[in-house]
Amino acid sequence: MAPVVDPTSPAVSETSTEYYQAELKNARDRLYKLNQAIKSLTDGNHQSYQLDTGQSSQRVTRLDLPELYKQINPLMEQIRRLEIYLGEGKPTSKQVRPAW
């Protein structure tokens, strides 16, 4: 797991913060489009769906659903890491030191 960096630190330049904000937006867009594809294939009568993530375009079918589901968790983990890096979220664990 990547270390958590304070985005307000002087070591982090404005350019790198902008980069991570753009990455977060792209990851959220990919997750939204992935969820649209899954919803379209599971609801209704669609047998295939044109999935355009902005990086690639592919036609997916109901047979591709297991692979689409596998892509969700890594994408959500990436979004979570970026949110924590940018200060929009908090880590799910805390480091506790004994007082002795």
Side-chain angles (χ1 to χ4, degrees):
M1 185 166 150
V4 177
V5 178
D6 180 8
T8 60
S9 166
V12 178
S13 69
E14 187 174 320
T15 306
S16 63
T17 301
E18 290 172 2
Y19 169 78
Y20 287 114
Q21 287 171 340
E23 284 293 307
L24 179 58
K25 181 189 178 307
N26 290 338
R28 286 177 175 164
D29 288 345
R30 286 193 313 268
L31 181 61
Y32 175 75
K33 291 176 181 178
L34 184 61
N35 282 328
Q36 275 185 319
I38 291 171
K39 184 174 187 251
S40 177
L41 292 172
T42 56
D43 295 349
N45 298 324
H46 294 95
Q47 296 295 320
S48 66
Y49 184 85
Q50 184 68 30
L51 178 60
D52 184 5
T53 63
Q55 295 177 349
S56 66
S57 180
Q58 67 187 66
R59 180 149 307 272
V60 291
T61 66
R62 288 184 182 181
L63 295 174
D64 297 316
L65 280 172
E67 183 59 37
L68 295 177
Y69 283 121
K70 284 181 189 176
Q71 294 177 27
I72 289 177
N73 282 340
L75 195 50
M76 289 179 68
E77 289 172 11
Q78 178 187 7
I79 290 170
R80 183 73 179 136
R81 281 193 309 272
L82 289 167
E83 286 174 343
I84 291 169
Y85 176 82
L86 291 168
E88 295 180 16
K90 294 184 179 181
T92 56
S93 63
K94 290 185 177 183
Q95 184 177 12
V96 178
R97 296 183 185 183
W100 26 282

